[in-house]
Amino acid sequence: QICLSLVKLLFYLAHSPLGSIVLLDFQPRQFVMVDGNLKVTDMDDASTEELSCKEDNDCTLDFPMKSFPLKCSAVGKCEGINEKKNLFNAYRYFFTYLLPHSAPPALQPFLSDILNATGDLRYGINETLKAFEKVLHLYKSGLYLQKRPLLLKDYISVKGFRITEGGDYKCWPSYSYLGCLLSVHSAEEAAAICNSQSQCQSFIITQQRTWTGRPLASFQSSLTNLIPDANAVVYIKRSSSSGERL
């Protein structure tokens, strides 16, 4: 969410009515989340000036560990230098820390491609935004789940119960520090996650939603904390001893 919001902001800065705007003091402390959107807190160090040049050799974009040769345009400006400077700073201050392992395994290669392409400045801001929106579409639609074995048939569904707040084991990246609470597209994906965790014996799809509208599933290793709830369903592994007794 943070990276996509940042890319949308940089897209606007690259195509603003004032021209391409560069953030000269690009640091995480310069940004804040407001209602799910990233905002710049200080525009004092923003500039529309682009580096002047006479030849391509005048257009090297330098960073502490990397340099990029750019083209000198016919009007004597280094082509796209403001956009590329913003994008590489987004890569080194945000993408490298937030993108790895921040999506289901099937989507991680797409994020790795974005990470590598922005790290080498092979993508401009237009291509970067398009790539992020593709990943978001796959994530929200559940298309990344195609051609996977159906595992929900291995679970018993028990209507009229839910799991109490707080879990009996923890997992990563859980939405709750008390237990294992993960975003899922459906009960079928939750069953696949439960199967992948040795502790998991049951799960419930909660009423909570993430910023993408996906539900959160709570995973449990026991059934000792079930409470009645007419609107809930608990899914229990058929192979579990608890499930057999039930």
Side-chain angles (χ1 to χ4, degrees):
Q1 181 182 14
I2 293 172
C3 291
L4 175 61
S5 188
L6 176 59
V7 168
K8 288 181 177 179
L9 173 61
L10 297 187
F11 179 86
Y12 173 78
L13 294 180
H15 303 285
S16 84
L18 300 176
S20 183
I21 299 175
V22 63
L23 301 176
L24 299 175
D25 186 20
F26 197 114
Q27 299 285 341
R29 64 173 180 269
Q30 298 288 80
F31 301 89
V32 64
M33 290 293 285
V34 179
D35 296 329
N37 295 305
L38 206 66
K39 305 286 186 180
V40 183
T41 59
D42 184 2
M43 293 293 289
D44 289 346
D45 294 306
S47 173
T48 58
E49 291 295 319
E50 291 190 306
L51 187 64
S52 299
C53 59
K54 293 182 178 179
E55 56 184 25
D56 291 349
N57 288 338
D58 297 329
C59 292
T60 301
L61 183 56
D62 289 316
F63 291 95
M65 302 295 291
K66 221 165 189 179
S67 295
F68 300 95
L70 304 180
K71 296 288 185 181
C72 183
S73 70
V75 295
K77 298 290 183 180
C78 296
E79 289 185 357
I81 190 167
N82 287 352
E83 172 188 329
K84 292 180 185 296
K85 188 171 184 179
N86 283 341
L87 189 55
F88 190 78
N89 277 327
Y91 159 80
R92 67 181 184 139
Y93 287 119
F94 286 88
F95 297 173
T96 54
Y97 299 104
L98 300 178
L99 288 186
H101 316 299
S102 64
L107 292 178
Q108 287 177 10
F110 293 96
L111 296 183
S112 293
D113 287 344
I114 293 174
L115 197 61
N116 293 332
T118 53
D120 294 334
L121 284 185
R122 287 185 285 108
Y123 279 1
I125 191 62
N126 294 0
E127 295 85 356
T128 303
L129 178 58
K130 184 177 180 180
F132 266 103
E133 289 179 335
K134 177 182 178 180
V135 176
L136 180 62
H137 171 68
L138 293 173
Y139 185 62
K140 292 175 69 174
S141 65
L143 289 173
Y144 66 95
L145 296 170
Q146 290 182 347
K147 299 179 181 179
R148 295 180 63 173
L150 299 178
L151 301 173
L152 195 58
K153 57 181 174 53
D154 298 328
Y155 288 76
I156 301 167
S157 61
V158 181
K159 298 181 179 180
F161 290 92
R162 64 179 171 86
I163 302 170
T164 57
E165 293 294 329
D168 54 6
Y169 78 93
K170 299 177 182 179
C171 66
W172 188 90
S174 177
Y175 280 78
S176 170
Y177 68 90
L178 296 174
C180 187
L181 188 66
L182 301 174
S183 166
V184 297
H185 177 261
S186 62
E188 184 62 54
E189 183 179 16
I193 293 173
C194 189
N195 272 27
S196 70
Q197 298 175 346
S198 60
Q199 308 101 309
C200 184
Q201 294 300 321
S202 64
F203 65 87
I204 183 172
I205 307 298
T206 74
Q207 298 301 309
Q208 296 173 268
R209 294 291 185 272
T210 69
W211 67 281
T212 61
R214 287 164 53 103
L216 295 178
S218 178
F219 299 87
Q220 296 277 329
S221 66
S222 66
L223 295 173
T224 58
N225 52 354
L226 291 182
I227 58 176
D229 186 333
N231 299 316
V233 180
V234 177
Y235 297 88
I236 306 165
K237 276 184 180 178
R238 292 182 183 274
S239 59
S240 72
S241 58
S242 297
E244 290 170 358
R245 288 198 303 271
L246 189 63

